[in-house]
């Protein structure tokens, strides 16, 4: 049956006086087109909406609006508000107080938001650095729940006034973009288009997903019993929620971490607002897409295919949020889906540094994983995760060795225990990644005795997003120049395969012995604008409790100039000691790097260089950079060559080290003697045959 509704007072919407909308009558007078479309979006056959239907049939639109708001006010959907991330708003007051003054903390920086002539915010503002990421964050509205938390804790009505002003401003000045396929084109960042020309900084699907998944539904229900949350704001939010969900359903991405955030928003809107006629289809579609995506995006070892720890959490958070929304709404989620969530948390738990922070790989920051892992440990019944996150103070010690390989991602995490002062290394031998990539295959990060020693450069900025040019900031941080790899003829690595269809072979997977750990990988995809054939194979041997040995094999068809890079953490004081490079921080952990083999190296320590190319910079968090000492070892080789590095950590001054290197019959023999410790004799096979590997 088709219900024909006659809406009276059909007046075109206008934005004049947008700051003075309080009642249903106000918003109907000012935004009649929006309200008309809202009522058309409802499933008026639902018994709960009979009063709304009756008023509309009688032509009383204002009464229908009041009846609709009464319905929501009387609905028991408190579970929606509990979807606010409890880890995100522990200290809401500073952010909320800034919002009262047209400022916000975005990208960890306090920024004032310019106003338009009509008093609203300049929503296409991209910050003082003209960074689109700032504009996306501004329009993602993740800061808005701070107003609710601050209001709840203080009762100060100014927070609610600010929330209503910001909400009404955004909604009224951002109607649904025209229904045209050109919108989809600009969502592809590889196109040479100024996204801001059509307001894409405000309507990017990623931000629409974040608004609907992390902010808007929660805030709508959080204020249901508060008279200061005016009917005009409620109706405007409902109209925009429908518009944004419709937009996501049509234009979302596939096979991308964006998809997880987009479908999280679509799922929550469907479950929280079942009055929309499209809600059942949205609900089914979102769960179907997420069930497909969690298997398409996440390898069997639990690592998301972009191989970025930052993206791992972003994707996991949304995959898990969708499951939580369904369960809270009384819907079922398959055991297989929940098992995949556990796999993803398992990677976070077992790869984290001894101090609880995540590895930096591809586009990532150095974030503390412990609060997230501890919540997950209780949820999934994993006392081993609790043990790891508390350095053995709580939970149950893992049955497996502390060293672990994730064979699909090609990541090897070597460590000598779960204690806070444990040795830890992160060795990347896997695929390039399906997004947020850095050219860093065979990179090695090292921490020991509670301190980072060798580091990945981080990401710093998304400006000039696709660049790998080390002469500009984005390009430097994405390129091989900011990683502990080898440059060839002054150039960094090319892109490699974005994903893999097979895990590492048994020969390539980590060898875990009670005395040592061993793994290797090969980069064979060439170097930027470098002619000829060249392969780089790197083997990593960790002698438990003592040191790491890095063995590099360069196979080339012609002479080459090589530069081996070792980036220290920025708080390391680094000096040369002959051919060695050593950090000398009093009463802290330190590291000695000793080159071994027949290669003559020139050594330079670079920090904070900007010309002719950038070198010696580190970014722990997005938007923040600082100089870090980087040892650059340079040599010229006439032909294929093999050489090694001894990496010796110490809690304090690194004691004297003696090492002998010999190559014979396809085997590298090393003898390492440290002051006060027994000598270690090592045989490393050049063909990586495990049976030939010996450590005595």
């Amino acid at each position: 049956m088709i219900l024909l509704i006659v809406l009276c007072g059909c007046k075109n919407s206008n934005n004049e006086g947008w700051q003075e909308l309080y009642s249903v009558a106000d918003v109907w007078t000012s935004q009649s087109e929006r309200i008309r479309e809202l009522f058309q979006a409802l499933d008026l056959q639902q018994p709960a909406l009979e009063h709304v239907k009756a008023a509309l049939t009688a032509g009383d639109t204002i009464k229908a609006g009041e009846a609709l708001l009464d319905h929501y006010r009387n609905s028991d959907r408190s579970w929606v508000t509990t979807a606010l991330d409890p880890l995100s708003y522990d200290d809401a007051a500073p952010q909320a107080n800034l919002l009262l003054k047209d400022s916000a903390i975005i990208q960890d920086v306090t920024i004032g938001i310019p106003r338009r002539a009509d008093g609203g915010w300049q929503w296409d503002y991209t910050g003082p650095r003209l960074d689109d990421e700032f504009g996306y964050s501004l329009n993602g509205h993740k800061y808005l729940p701070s107003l609710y938390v601050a209001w709840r804790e203080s009762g100060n009505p100014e927070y609610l006034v600010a929330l209503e002003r910001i909400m009404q401003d955004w909604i009224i000045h951002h109607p649904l973009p025209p229904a045209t396929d050109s919108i989809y084109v600009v969502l592809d960042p590889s196109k040479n288009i100024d996204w801001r020309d059509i307001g894409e900084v405000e309507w990017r699907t990623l931000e629409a997903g974040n608004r609907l998944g992390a902010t808007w539904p929660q805030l709508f229900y959080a204020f249901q019993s508060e008279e200061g949350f005016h009917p005009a704001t409620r109706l405007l939010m409902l109209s925009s929620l429908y518009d944004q969900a419709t937009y996501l359903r049509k234009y979302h991405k596939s096979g991308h971490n964006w998809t997880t955030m987009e479908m999280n928003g679509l799922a929550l809107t469907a479950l929280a607002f079942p009055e929309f006629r499209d809600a059942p289809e949205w609900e089914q579609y979102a769960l179907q897409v997420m069930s497909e995506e969690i298997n398409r995006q996440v390898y069997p070892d639990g690592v998301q295919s972009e191989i970025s720890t930052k993206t791992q959490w972003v994707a996991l958070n949304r995959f898990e949020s969708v499951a939580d929304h369904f369960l809270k709404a009384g819907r079922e989620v398959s055991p297989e889906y929940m098992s995949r969530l556990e796999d993803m948390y398992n990677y976070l738990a077992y790869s984290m540094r001894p101090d609880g922070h995540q590895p930096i790989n591809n586009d990532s920051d150095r974030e503390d994983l412990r609060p997230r892992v501890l919540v997950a440990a209780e949820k999934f019944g994993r006392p081993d995760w609790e043990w790891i996150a508390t350095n053995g103070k709580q939970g149950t010690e893992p049955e497996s060795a502390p060293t672990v390989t994730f064979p699909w991602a090609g990541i090897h995490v070597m460590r000598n225990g779960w204690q806070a002062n444990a040795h830890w290394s992160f060795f990347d031998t896997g695929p390039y990644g399906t997004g947020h990539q850095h050219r860093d295959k065979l990179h090695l990060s090292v921490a020991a005795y509670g301190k980072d020693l060798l580091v990945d450069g981080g990401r710093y900025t998304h400006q000039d997003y696709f660049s790998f040019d080390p002469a500009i900031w984005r390009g430097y941080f994405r390129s091989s120049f900011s990683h502990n790899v080898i440059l060839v003829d002054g150039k960094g690595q090319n892109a490699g395969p974005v994903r893999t269809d097979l895990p590492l072979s048994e020969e390539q997977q980590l060898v875990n012995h009670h005395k040592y750990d061993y793994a290797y990988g090969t980069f064979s995809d060439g170097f930027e604008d470098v002619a000829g054939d060249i392969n780089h194979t790197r083997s990593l041997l960790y002698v438990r409790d003592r040191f790491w040995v890095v063995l590099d094999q360069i196979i080339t068809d012609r002479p080459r100039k090589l530069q081996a890079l070792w980036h220290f953490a920025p708080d390391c004081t680094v000096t040369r000691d002959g051919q060695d490079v050593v950090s000398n921080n009093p009463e802290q952990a330190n590291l000695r790097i000793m080159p071994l083999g027949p290669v003559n190296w020139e050594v330079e320590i670079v920090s904070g260089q900007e010309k002719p190319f950038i070198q010696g910079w580190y970014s722990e968090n997005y938007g923040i950079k600082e100089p870090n000492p980087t040892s650059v070892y340079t040599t010229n080789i006439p032909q294929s060559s093999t050489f090694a590095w001894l990496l010796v950590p110490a809690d304090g001054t690194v004691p004297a080290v003696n090492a002998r290197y010999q190559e014979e019959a396809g085997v590298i023999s090393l003898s390492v003697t440290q002051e006060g410790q027994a000598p270690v004799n090592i045989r490393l096979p050049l063909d990586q045959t495990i049976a030939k590997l010996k450590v005595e």
Side-chain angles (χ1 to χ4, degrees):
M1 179 178 115
I2 299 176
L3 176 66
L4 179 62
I5 302 172
V6 179
L7 299 174
C8 66
C10 296
K11 177 181 177 182
N12 291 333
S13 299
N14 69 81
N15 297 340
E16 294 181 4
W18 68 268
Q19 297 188 61
E20 299 177 355
L21 304 181
Y22 303 106
S23 67
V24 173
D26 290 340
V27 77
W28 171 243
T29 300
S30 174
Q31 303 289 316
S32 58
E33 187 65 28
R34 279 186 174 276
I35 304 308
R36 181 183 301 108
E37 292 173 355
L38 168 61
F39 286 125
Q40 291 171 348
L42 298 173
D43 178 8
L44 294 173
Q45 304 308 316
Q46 295 184 20
L49 298 181
E50 61 179 346
H51 295 300
V52 178
K53 176 181 175 181
L56 289 173
T57 303
D60 192 339
T61 311
I62 294 175
K63 184 175 181 181
E66 292 170 345
L68 179 63
L69 296 182
D70 284 341
H71 161 75
Y72 281 108
R73 196 175 287 111
N74 295 322
S75 297
D76 183 14
R77 293 184 190 149
S78 58
W79 66 267
V80 179
T81 300
T82 65
L84 286 171
D85 184 353
L87 300 176
S88 301
Y89 305 106
D90 291 337
D91 190 15
Q95 178 75 279
N97 289 331
L98 286 169
L99 291 170
L100 297 181
K101 303 173 184 177
D102 294 326
S103 297
I105 302 171
I106 296 179
Q107 299 171 351
D108 296 322
V109 178
T110 299
I111 301 291
I113 313 301
R115 280 182 176 264
R116 304 185 308 272
D118 68 357
W121 280 3
Q122 184 181 323
W123 288 104
D124 62 353
Y125 181 53
T126 55
R129 292 199 299 261
L130 301 180
D131 184 354
D132 283 347
E133 285 297 320
F134 179 94
Y136 300 141
S137 297
L138 178 64
N139 286 276
H141 294 175
K142 289 185 178 180
Y143 47 81
L144 288 184
S146 67
L147 290 168
Y148 164 67
V149 176
W151 169 83
R152 183 187 61 192
E153 293 176 350
S154 69
N156 184 350
E158 292 185 14
Y159 296 124
L160 182 50
V161 171
L163 176 67
E164 284 204 303
R165 175 179 56 79
I166 294 169
M167 276 290 186
Q168 289 195 17
D169 179 13
W170 196 93
I171 294 167
I172 290 172
H173 295 98
H174 293 92
L176 185 65
T180 167
D181 288 340
S182 66
I183 294 174
Y184 186 81
V185 172
V186 299
L187 298 181
D188 181 353
S190 68
K191 306 297 182 184
N192 186 22
I193 295 172
D194 187 345
W195 298 351
R196 285 168 290 171
D197 285 348
I198 63 163
E200 203 277 331
V201 82
E202 295 111 292
W203 268 101
R204 194 172 68 161
T205 53
L206 177 59
E207 278 61 56
N210 284 331
R211 288 190 295 266
L212 300 194
T215 301
W216 283 43
Q218 293 90 328
L219 293 176
F220 180 86
Y221 283 106
F223 288 108
Q224 283 302 307
S225 61
E226 177 58 33
E227 291 185 3
F229 186 48
H230 291 99
T233 306
R234 299 171 195 253
L235 282 178
L236 287 169
M237 287 186 71
L238 288 169
S239 72
S240 188
L241 282 161
Y242 180 80
D243 287 350
Q244 293 179 69
T246 302
Y247 181 68
L248 284 178
R249 174 62 179 86
K250 186 172 183 180
Y251 297 115
H252 72 84
K253 285 184 176 289
S254 296
H256 196 282
N257 76 83
W258 282 22
T259 314
T260 66
M261 290 174 273
E262 293 159 350
M263 290 300 100
N264 178 58
L266 185 63
L268 181 56
T269 304
L271 294 164
F273 301 94
E275 295 78 12
F276 291 134
R277 65 169 182 268
D278 295 331
E281 194 275 337
W282 293 343
E283 173 187 326
Q284 181 181 9
Y285 182 79
L287 186 57
Q288 175 186 338
V289 170
M290 290 293 265
S291 297
E292 294 170 353
E293 290 292 335
I294 202 169
N295 289 305
R296 175 162 51 180
Q297 290 190 34
V298 182
Y299 288 123
D301 58 12
V303 182
Q304 200 263 356
S305 62
E306 297 187 37
I307 313 183
S308 151
T309 318
K310 176 75 174 180
T311 304
Q312 176 87 7
W313 170 247
V314 169
L316 170 54
N317 190 25
R318 300 315 174 201
F319 282 129
E320 186 176 22
S321 291
V322 167
D324 289 345
H325 299 332
F326 273 81
L327 293 172
K328 289 175 181 177
R331 308 293 202 277
E332 292 185 357
V333 178
S334 72
E336 292 78 12
Y337 189 95
M338 299 302 294
S339 178
R340 303 274 28 228
L341 297 178
E342 187 172 350
D343 292 338
M344 295 184 76
Y345 270 116
N346 195 66
Y347 167 68
L348 294 181
Y350 278 85
S351 67
M352 75 166 70
R353 304 166 194 263
D355 68 1
H357 287 75
Q358 69 187 18
I360 296 180
N361 59 324
N362 283 347
D363 275 345
S364 293
D365 302 323
R366 194 182 184 280
E367 298 179 45
D368 191 345
L369 287 175
R370 287 171 294 189
R372 299 165 182 171
V373 170
L374 287 171
V375 169
E378 181 176 0
K379 178 176 181 176
F380 289 92
R382 292 293 300 265
D384 56 326
W385 298 349
E386 187 178 12
W387 181 277
I388 296 170
T390 63
N391 300 119
K393 295 177 182 177
Q394 300 174 30
T396 302
E397 185 172 4
E399 296 180 0
S400 62
T403 291
V404 62
T405 282
F406 297 90
W408 288 81
I411 289 172
H412 309 276
V413 180
M414 301 180 182
R415 55 197 300 166
N416 64 341
W418 305 111
Q419 64 272 27
N421 66 345
H423 293 178
W424 173 94
S425 63
F426 186 91
F427 182 37
D428 176 8
T429 67
Y432 187 46
T434 56
H436 293 279
Q437 306 101 330
H438 289 195
R439 295 186 178 171
D440 60 351
K441 189 168 183 178
L442 308 183
H443 167 86
L444 174 67
S445 293
V446 170
Y449 306 108
K451 179 179 174 61
D452 285 349
L453 296 169
L454 295 178
V455 295
D456 180 302
R459 59 174 177 153
Y460 177 54
T461 181
H462 285 178
Q463 193 171 11
D464 303 307
Y465 186 85
F466 294 99
S467 175
F468 287 97
D469 181 356
I472 64 176
W473 290 113
R474 174 65 174 168
Y476 166 73
F477 282 100
R478 293 188 78 201
S479 74
S480 303
F481 283 71
S482 72
H483 297 88
N484 299 324
V485 295
I486 291 178
L487 307 181
V488 175
D489 295 336
K491 302 293 184 178
Q493 298 174 1
N494 285 326
V498 298
R499 62 179 303 133
T500 182
D501 295 324
L502 294 170
L504 297 177
S505 66
E506 290 187 9
E507 291 78 13
Q508 290 175 297
Q509 291 193 37
L510 183 76
V511 175
N512 182 236
H513 186 274
H514 72 278
K515 290 184 178 179
Y516 60 84
D517 303 313
Y518 174 79
Y520 73 92
T522 297
F523 177 75
S524 57
D525 297 298
F527 292 75
E528 287 190 299
D529 302 320
V530 172
D533 296 328
I534 182 165
N535 290 341
H536 176 200
T537 296
R538 172 168 280 184
S539 303
L540 179 65
L541 175 73
Y542 170 56
V543 179
R544 199 71 51 79
D545 302 325
R546 299 285 294 273
F547 50 75
W548 288 265
V549 176
V550 178
L551 179 65
D552 286 322
Q553 300 176 66
I554 303 295
I555 308 300
T556 178
D557 62 352
R558 65 194 67 187
R560 301 289 187 184
K561 177 182 179 181
L562 304 181
Q563 290 174 299
L565 306 177
W566 298 106
H567 295 79
F568 282 79
D571 59 348
C572 290
T573 301
V574 179
T575 59
R576 289 179 51 185
D577 183 7
Q579 285 281 293
D580 295 4
V581 171
V582 61
S583 65
N584 298 289
N585 291 71
E587 300 181 1
Q588 293 184 25
N590 289 291
L591 181 74
R592 177 181 294 273
I593 298 178
M594 176 183 291
L596 302 172
V599 175
N600 293 318
W601 297 98
E602 294 181 3
V603 189
E604 180 183 12
I605 298 175
V606 178
S607 181
Q609 175 178 298
E610 297 189 36
K611 300 290 183 180
F613 54 85
I614 300 170
Q615 185 53 270
W617 291 88
Y618 171 75
S619 175
E620 182 172 304
N621 291 298
Y622 184 86
I624 300 172
K625 68 181 187 300
E626 58 184 319
N628 67 325
T630 301
S631 60
V632 181
Y633 281 84
T634 303
T635 192
N636 292 288
I637 58 172
Q639 58 190 7
S640 298
S641 183
T642 300
F643 44 87
W645 311 87
L646 185 65
L647 311 181
V648 183
D651 188 9
T653 302
V654 184
V657 180
N658 293 309
R660 289 183 299 164
Y661 175 104
Q662 182 178 356
E663 180 179 344
E664 186 177 4
V667 174
I668 301 298
S669 297
L670 299 176
S671 179
V672 180
T673 304
Q674 293 174 266
E675 182 180 307
Q677 299 196 56
V680 179
N681 297 307
I682 299 167
R683 288 173 58 83
L684 281 170
L686 293 180
D687 63 359
Q688 290 80 41
T689 302
I690 302 304
K692 300 178 183 177
L693 173 65
K694 290 187 178 180
V695 178
E696 299 174 338

